Amino acid sequence: MEKISVIVSCYNEEKALPLFYEEMERVRKQDFENIDFEYIFVDDGSKDKTMDIIRDLRNKDEKVRYVSFSRNFGKESAMYAGLEASTGDYVTLMDADLQDPPSLLRQMFDSIKNDGYDCSATRRVTRKGEPVIRSFCARQFYKIINKMSDIEMVDGARDYRLMKRKMVDAILQLKEYNRYSKGLWSFVGFKTKWIEYENIERVAGETKWSFWKLFKYALEGITAFSTTPLILSSIIGILFCIIAFLIIVAIIIKTIVLGDPTSGWPSLVCIIFLVSGIQLFSLGIIGQYLSKTYLEVKNRPIYIVKETEKDV
Ligand code: UDP
Ligand code: MG
């Protein structure tokens, strides 16, 4: 019998988890009669009762497996851990808050089974319930990163997707520390079917993404999948050299023709500020890449496990 692994990353999801399990089981019984399932809950260092709920689920349902982290490593690490633990022929990644509706799973499964796709991914076409400024920034971000990077990032793409084993293994080969999954999916390729749906608000609990966290995540995406900022700072540097050269020539000519009245020091100060600003900015860009390289060469583990279902 074929098996689907359902990976759910959970960080402080005590309110949403029971609802998720209930809904997922309903869908499984209704739509997937002859298919084996395993649920892998990845507890990303939750501080509430998430782990107790997962253990309870395990006690009453053999299909439930779990990986619990020693601290909060972030959703990217949680997804990686889930993929590593999974044993199914097909693997799906879901949020615990039911924003990734399990009811879409049958449609996703059919497009892989019947239409020859390797992967079926979801994309929300609206951002209902999100702060306006956040939606705006997100849209601008996708515009910018798609100009900068060779890898295509799909606006509104969720991490919710169903993949064949082959694609999962390809993802697992990418062992980088700075993980930006939206890019990694595109990087590995494979034929992907996009399923669109309207945004759904989370059933319970609160979002873990503050604006600042999202901003840092966006920068991560840019440094992970594009070196355009480095090229940009080189271009600006060359441009300023050319301008400076032209001004020098102009001043020399002016001094020879008109003599040299000592004037213009305020404009000089402005120029010094501008140029040193640009220098610092470029240094910052280089620093971003350097810091990512630094973390990468340290080769630290992507996550650390405290407990799994095999420990009890
Ligand atoms: N999550 C996680 N680790 C984190 C933050 C979030 O595993 O550090 C999980 C969270 O429990 C949820 C999913 O990632 O299942 C998506 O998080 P959330 O709903 O807060 O994000 P949003 O849907 O608002 O983008
Ligand atoms: Mg959510």
Side-chain angles (χ1 to χ4, degrees):
M1 200 153 47
E2 286 184 312
K3 179 151 97 178
I4 298 182
S5 304
V6 179
I7 297 168
V8 190
S9 45
C10 317
Y11 179 51
N12 297 343
E13 297 286 5
E14 60 179 4
K15 291 204 190 92
L17 255 188
L19 301 170
F20 171 84
Y21 178 76
E22 210 174 283
E23 168 68 7
M24 188 60 236
E25 274 289 274
R26 188 189 65 76
V27 170
R28 183 185 67 83
K29 283 176 194 150
Q30 181 187 307
D31 296 344
F32 293 94
E33 254 181 20
N34 296 316
I35 289 178
D36 240 356
F37 264 74
E38 74 175 349
Y39 300 145
I40 302 174
F41 293 102
V42 184
D43 162 46
D44 187 9
S46 299
K47 295 185 181 71
D48 63 359
K49 297 207 171 60
T50 301
M51 215 31 237
D52 298 336
I53 293 170
I54 295 176
R55 278 195 211 98
D56 283 351
L57 290 176
R58 165 71 185 180
N59 286 338
K60 70 174 190 200
D61 184 351
E62 276 279 296
K63 293 193 298 301
V64 173
R65 298 175 52 207
Y66 61 86
V67 179
S68 178
F69 289 177
S70 58
R71 64 168 170 85
N72 180 248
F73 279 85
K75 189 188 173 191
E76 294 287 345
S77 303
M79 291 195 292
Y80 187 81
L83 292 176
E84 266 195 331
S86 70
T87 59
D89 308 289
Y90 303 90
V91 179
T92 179
L93 294 156
M94 282 185 203
D95 285 3
D97 57 10
L98 288 177
Q99 277 190 302
D100 302 329
S103 50
L104 286 178
L105 208 54
R106 183 71 225 189
Q107 191 190 345
M108 292 159 79
F109 187 67
D110 286 343
S111 58
I112 294 182
K113 275 269 146 269
N114 307 333
D115 307 336
Y117 288 97
D118 302 301
C119 167
S120 183
T122 59
R123 176 173 173 252
R124 43 178 194 176
V125 282
T126 56
R127 287 176 171 272
K128 186 176 60 123
E130 233 185 35
V132 184
I133 178 113
R134 176 177 296 193
S135 307
F136 175 78
C137 290
R139 242 178 262 122
Q140 297 311 313
F141 166 71
Y142 280 107
K143 267 191 203 149
I144 292 172
I145 197 164
N146 277 320
K147 286 222 173 76
M148 281 185 174
S149 171
D150 301 334
I151 299 284
E152 201 208 341
M153 317 268 171
V154 180
D155 186 0
R158 306 272 310 167
D159 292 321
Y160 181 26
R161 53 177 60 226
L162 183 71
M163 294 171 277
K164 273 188 178 168
R165 187 79 241 167
K166 270 213 176 107
M167 184 164 175
V168 175
D169 290 341
I171 292 284
L172 287 174
Q173 275 177 25
L174 307 174
K175 296 190 190 304
E176 57 207 72
Y177 183 77
N178 297 292
R179 304 189 74 76
Y180 186 74
S181 284
K182 284 183 176 41
L184 299 179
W185 309 133
S186 303
F187 178 84
V188 296
F190 292 98
K191 206 172 155 203
T192 301
K193 159 99 178 168
W194 286 99
I195 291 172
E196 299 187 343
Y197 72 102
E198 303 256 318
N199 189 33
I200 301 165
E201 291 181 45
R202 61 158 50 236
V203 280
E206 263 151 40
T207 177
K208 276 89 201 173
W209 292 89
S210 63
F211 195 81
W212 176 237
K213 248 181 151 180
L214 276 176
F215 180 72
K216 284 205 301 197
Y217 187 59
L219 281 188
E220 192 118 307
I222 292 175
T223 45
F225 282 94
S226 165
T227 48
T228 310
L230 289 171
I231 300 170
L232 222 62
S233 59
S234 310
I235 291 174
I236 293 174
I238 291 171
L239 209 71
F240 267 69
C241 285
I242 294 171
I243 293 172
F245 181 75
L246 293 177
I247 293 175
I248 289 169
V249 172
I251 287 176
I252 290 175
I253 292 171
K254 197 178 142 210
T255 314
I256 291 170
V257 178
L258 299 175
D260 184 29
T262 323
S263 67
W265 75 268
S267 51
L268 203 65
V269 171
C270 292
I271 291 167
I272 290 172
F273 265 94
L274 176 70
V275 173
S276 44
I278 288 171
Q279 276 175 355
L280 281 179
F281 180 68
S282 307
L283 208 60
I285 292 176
I286 297 171
Q288 279 297 319
Y289 285 92
L290 191 66
S291 67
K292 299 290 173 210
T293 316
Y294 178 57
L295 285 174
E296 242 17 282
V297 288
K298 280 203 229 186
N299 216 356
R300 285 180 182 159
I302 297 170
Y303 61 91
I304 293 169
V305 176
K306 189 170 74 179
E307 183 188 329
T308 71
E309 81 280 348
K310 294 184 186 104
D311 295 335
V312 280

